[in-house]
Amino acid sequence: MNKTENKIYIVGMGPGAEDMMTGQAIKALEVSDIIIGYTVYIQLLGEKFQNKELLSTPMRKEKERCKLCFEKAQAGKTVAMVCSGDAGIYGLASLMYEIGTDYPDVALEVIPGITAANSGAAVLGAPLNHDFCTISLSDLLTPWETIEKRLLAAAEGDFVIALYNPSSHKRKDYLARACEILLRVLEPERPCGYVENIGRDETKATVCRLDELKDAQVNMFTTVFIGDRGTEIIDGKLVTKRGYQIER
Amino acid sequence: MNKTENKIYIVGMGPGAEDMMTGQAIKALEVSDIIIGYTVYIQLLGEKFQNKELLSTPMRKEKERCKLCFEKAQAGKTVAMVCSGDAGIYGLASLMYEIGTDYPDVALEVIPGITAANSGAAVLGAPLNHDFCTISLSDLLTPWETIEKRLLAAAEGDFVIALYNPSSHKRKDYLARACEILLRVLEPERPCGYVENIGRDETKATVCRLDELKDAQVNMFTTVFIGDRGTEIIDGKLVTKRGYQIER
């Protein structure tokens, strides 16, 4: 990986701890002149990359942040835009490609990262070890009817489900609502789990039944897992069997 | 991360290139006495970890490989079991937890890695930028009826779909069969893409329509992506808009 003019690396930082970044992601930051991201991440990176220009925009100013990347890259700089997890999974990668049509001289490259589904699953055991889907419960950008339709489709298709954004200050009851929808199709005993603050010192993992998950205290840093019919709790870990394991 | 007796790290190596491993994965290999995995990966790692005991079992001997890890760990060694991608996504993590009930003195820890859905998506652009699911087309371990049910549920739920194991020597027509099932619900123009040999020198990415995907030449190293209703091809990249982008 080389320093290249008019280039933006869209970098997935993983869940937070530096040793959960890939070598490629670290290299992309090293070859960049400017690192741009959400304020909290920029502060975290500031200690390691003090020789870089570090720029940030607050939450909800995503379009402005994307445009800032393109303005800097068009001026000849190598830019790294950082997102938590994987920039291509509930991150800003697609918005960057859209806005990029206005900046044909700027090249984009996505550097994948460990998303919360993967890192949370590793903490819980192996819940995603067969076909799974991810659903965000945030209705800021998606109508609730679509979210409800997807929850039902996922349950009817017997997918393991990883829920992103299960709660926020304004949406305290969304996980309970999602559980009630799933309980129309799935049994109350279905094994579930959730992980808070993945990849940080205070990581906390809990396994439970679907009817208990309804009352779980979660926040915007929690990732929630609902098992498929082959999921079991083994020695406190949430484990989804692959096909031949179910048939044994 | 420390060297610990009677411990097995279940390590996701990512798609292949060393710089797509996380720092944590590399540390787990460094602190281990023995590295165990599928022959091809062990050969790759052999150059870097010449001071380790390297053991492998052939393909299809997964249970034997898992048991070998436990035997070595029970004898007091620190063991790393390596899987490509993420060991918890179509890998051996869940089988390890199951077999682990026979070895209560051995501790397990999953180290997440970049799975083909994430790394392939990064090559294609940003196809997984909204709710998505992964489906393996291999019916070695899962009945084809279950796979068919999941394909339909995913299409009806308007998920982006990432297909693993779209083909093999014995299942040359499986991708075509999957496309025909999806075409019952999705329009022929639906944007799709596929990536071969992710993370290696010969990475090859293609975008196409769903009715063209049917005839695509794929193999067991290909990962296939089918867009949702918000997916577009932008400057040759496969890009799935987040909700607010669709509504703009």
Side-chain angles (χ1 to χ4, degrees):
Chain A
M1 192 178 293
N2 298 308
K3 178 167 159 47
T4 313
E5 286 189 5
N6 308 313
K7 169 109 184 189
I8 305 174
Y9 293 104
I10 306 169
V11 180
M13 284 182 57
E18 192 193 317
D19 72 352
M20 294 186 78
M21 290 177 72
T22 66
Q24 205 182 38
I26 291 171
K27 272 185 213 162
L29 299 179
E30 283 171 353
V31 301
S32 293
D33 304 303
I34 308 176
I35 303 175
I36 298 178
Y38 173 51
T39 317
V40 174
Y41 294 108
I42 290 301
Q43 283 165 352
L44 273 175
L45 289 171
E47 295 158 28
K48 193 178 155 75
F49 295 97
Q50 291 180 343
N51 58 334
K52 308 289 181 189
E53 187 178 352
L54 300 167
L55 298 173
S56 61
T57 66
M59 193 115 81
R60 301 284 175 92
K61 293 286 180 193
E62 283 87 2
K63 279 183 200 172
E64 289 76 357
R65 198 182 308 154
C66 293
K67 284 179 186 165
L68 182 63
C69 293
F70 282 103
E71 297 296 338
K72 295 291 182 184
Q74 199 170 43
K77 300 292 186 186
T78 307
V79 176
M81 158 177 264
V82 294
C83 292
S84 68
D86 183 311
I89 295 178
Y90 303 115
L92 292 177
S94 70
L95 189 56
M96 289 291 285
Y97 278 104
E98 276 205 279
I99 293 174
T101 57
D102 294 337
Y103 300 87
D105 300 337
V106 176
L108 298 179
E109 183 173 341
V110 179
I111 309 291
I114 304 282
T115 183
N118 294 222
S119 52
V123 175
L124 280 168
L128 299 185
N129 229 140
H130 206 333
D131 303 331
F132 71 93
C133 56
T134 69
I135 301 175
S136 167
L137 292 190
S138 169
D139 63 352
L140 287 175
L141 307 175
T142 304
W144 179 258
E145 294 68 34
T146 302
I147 296 170
E148 184 165 330
K149 187 178 80 167
R150 287 182 175 156
L151 288 166
L152 283 172
E156 277 158 7
D158 188 34
F159 287 96
V160 184
I161 303 170
L163 297 178
Y164 284 66
N165 306 308
S167 180
S168 77
H169 292 304
K170 292 189 180 164
R171 304 178 288 110
K172 286 208 179 301
D173 66 331
Y174 278 30
L175 178 58
R177 286 168 66 182
C179 288
E180 272 158 27
I181 291 162
L182 293 172
L183 282 164
R184 290 184 211 157
V185 181
L186 306 178
E187 73 285 2
E189 301 81 12
R190 179 64 58 102
C192 297
Y194 52 99
V195 189
E196 217 173 304
N197 295 317
I198 301 164
R200 298 176 202 180
D201 289 340
E202 331 84 77
T203 302
K204 200 184 149 206
T206 310
V207 293
C208 62
R209 297 158 40 125
L210 180 55
D211 58 358
E212 295 165 340
L213 182 65
K214 203 158 40 75
D215 304 314
Q217 294 301 311
V218 296
N219 60 42
M220 58 185 288
F221 300 110
T222 312
T223 310
V224 174
F225 297 80
I226 295 111
D228 71 13
R229 71 183 177 87
T231 304
E232 287 183 11
I233 295 171
I234 299 178
D235 291 337
K237 295 288 182 178
L238 192 65
V239 177
T240 297
K241 296 179 183 184
R242 307 202 300 176
Y244 68 92
Q245 293 165 261
I246 299 173
E247 289 156 33
R248 272 201 318 194
Chain B
M1 191 178 294
N2 297 310
K3 179 167 160 47
T4 313
E5 285 187 7
N6 307 316
K7 169 111 184 187
I8 304 174
Y9 293 104
I10 306 169
V11 180
M13 285 182 56
E18 191 192 316
D19 71 353
M20 295 185 78
M21 290 177 74
T22 66
Q24 206 182 36
I26 291 171
K27 272 186 213 159
L29 299 180
E30 283 170 355
V31 301
S32 293
D33 303 303
I34 308 176
I35 304 175
I36 298 178
Y38 173 52
T39 318
V40 174
Y41 293 108
I42 289 301
Q43 283 165 353
L44 274 174
L45 289 171
E47 296 159 28
K48 193 178 157 74
F49 295 97
Q50 292 180 341
N51 58 334
K52 308 287 181 190
E53 187 178 353
L54 300 167
L55 298 173
S56 61
T57 66
M59 193 118 79
R60 301 283 175 88
K61 293 287 179 190
E62 283 86 1
K63 280 183 198 171
E64 288 76 359
R65 200 183 307 155
C66 293
K67 284 178 185 164
L68 182 63
C69 293
F70 282 103
E71 297 296 339
K72 295 291 181 182
Q74 200 171 42
K77 299 293 186 182
T78 307
V79 176
M81 160 179 262
V82 295
C83 292
S84 68
D86 183 309
I89 296 179
Y90 303 115
L92 293 177
S94 69
L95 189 56
M96 288 292 285
Y97 278 104
E98 275 204 280
I99 293 174
T101 56
D102 294 336
Y103 301 86
D105 300 337
V106 176
L108 299 180
E109 183 173 343
V110 179
I111 309 291
I114 304 280
T115 183
N118 293 224
S119 52
V123 175
L124 279 168
L128 299 185
N129 229 141
H130 207 333
D131 303 332
F132 70 93
C133 55
T134 68
I135 301 174
S136 167
L137 293 191
S138 170
D139 64 352
L140 287 175
L141 307 176
T142 305
W144 179 258
E145 295 67 37
T146 303
I147 296 170
E148 183 165 330
K149 187 178 82 168
R150 287 181 176 157
L151 287 166
L152 282 172
E156 276 157 8
D158 189 33
F159 287 96
V160 183
I161 304 169
L163 296 179
Y164 283 65
N165 306 310
S167 181
S168 77
H169 292 303
K170 291 189 182 165
R171 305 178 287 109
K172 286 208 178 302
D173 66 332
Y174 277 31
L175 178 59
R177 286 167 66 181
C179 289
E180 270 158 28
I181 291 162
L182 293 172
L183 282 165
R184 291 183 209 158
V185 180
L186 307 179
E187 73 285 1
E189 301 81 13
R190 181 61 61 101
C192 298
Y194 52 99
V195 189
E196 216 173 305
N197 294 317
I198 301 164
R200 298 178 201 177
D201 289 340
E202 333 81 79
T203 302
K204 199 184 149 205
T206 309
V207 293
C208 61
R209 297 157 40 124
L210 180 55
D211 57 358
E212 295 165 339
L213 183 65
K214 203 159 39 77
D215 305 313
Q217 294 302 310
V218 297
N219 60 42
M220 58 184 289
F221 300 110
T222 311
T223 310
V224 174
F225 297 80
I226 294 112
D228 71 13
R229 71 183 177 84
T231 304
E232 288 183 11
I233 294 171
I234 299 179
D235 291 338
K237 295 287 182 179
L238 192 65
V239 178
T240 298
K241 298 180 180 183
R242 306 203 300 177
Y244 68 91
Q245 292 164 262
I246 298 172
E247 289 156 31
R248 270 203 315 199

